[in-house]
Amino acid sequence: MDLVALSAFNPSPLTGAGNNTYLIPGPEPLLVDAGVGDPRHLDAVAAALDGVPLARVVVTHNHSDHASGAAAVAARWPGVTLLKMPWPARDRVAWTPLAEGDELAAGDVRLRVVWTPGHAPDHVCLFEPAGRVLFGGDLLVQNDTVVIPASHGGSLTQYLASLERVRALAPSRVLPAHGPAIDDVVALIERYVEHRRQRERQILRALASGPVTPADIVARVYVGLNPALEPFARESVLAHLVKLEEEGRAIRNEDGKWTC
Ligand SMILES: [Zn+2]
């Protein structure tokens, strides 16, 4: 598979060096993630296309660092088809809905849509079976963990199931939207699962000590946390609490405190 990695030119504390987008050139060129509409990104896509019109853009999920550039891409390549999982979005562009198992032509290969909710309810990965390459979106990040925004559609239960799905595909390489390519996929997934297990044990201990809020748990479990990251830690704790609630192992009280 021919492949060109292109930065979306949106560095920030949350996106790191900026999002990775991936262009598969050739017949019916396909771009994985739309970026944010930065002209330098669009110019880089145009240079890599070498005059061939862009056929498709697949957005891995409807977070702005992946999807907000769709309008700019459609303005530059008016014939392009914009694809994502059906999910309500306030948008100026018309999306073509993706479904689990869809196959999309991309250059000389075909990509399979793998629904992997958890980080976001509409999150998909794209799998290229011949080379066993997975375009991972925000499912995995080398040397980091993934935020599960429990107040905004994130689900830890779904995320752990999505990790198992991807492990079963046995990809040789994952190309993520943030950070470097991941070659030891199973080891990273196992580290993630172990990290969540440890966190769950800590949260169960905090619950056993009496009614607590997510913020109480953050203060107890995330010792020495940078205060700027506290909201993300609270989302992560809430994601664990909701999972425990789904399993009948935690109770949410009317005052917003949790017990076991
Ligand atoms: Zn995201």
Side-chain angles (χ1 to χ4, degrees), residues 61 63 65-66 119-120 123 138 178:
H61 60 297
H63 286 170
D65 54 327
H66 304 258
H119 169 71
H123 192 282
D138 282 356
H178 303 279

Side-chain angles (χ1 to χ4, degrees), residues 114-170:
V114 184
W115 184 42
T116 45
H119 169 71
D122 60 347
H123 192 282
V124 294
C125 297
L126 297 173
F127 188 53
E128 196 278 289
R132 311 204 72 75
V133 173
L134 185 87
F135 296 92
D138 282 356
L139 187 79
L140 299 171
V141 184
Q142 189 74 275
N143 307 322
D144 206 346
T145 57
V146 169
V147 175
I148 306 299
S151 315
H152 306 281
S155 160
L156 184 55
T157 301
Q158 288 187 328
Y159 180 68
L160 292 171
S162 292
L163 290 180
E164 288 309 316
R165 269 203 86 184
V166 163
R167 189 212 295 253
L169 288 173

Side-chain angles (χ1 to χ4, degrees), residues 9 17 31 54 67 88 129 135 149 180 196-197 223 248 254:
F9 289 93
L31 180 66
L54 185 61
F135 296 92
R196 298 294 174 180
R197 264 197 218 115
V223 178
E254 277 169 16

Side-chain angles (χ1 to χ4, degrees), residues 206-214 216-217 220 251 253 255-260:
L207 285 176
S209 70
V212 282
T213 63
D216 296 335
I217 296 175
R220 200 169 307 177
I251 299 163
N253 299 303
D255 60 2
K257 294 193 173 182
W258 291 75
T259 47
C260 54

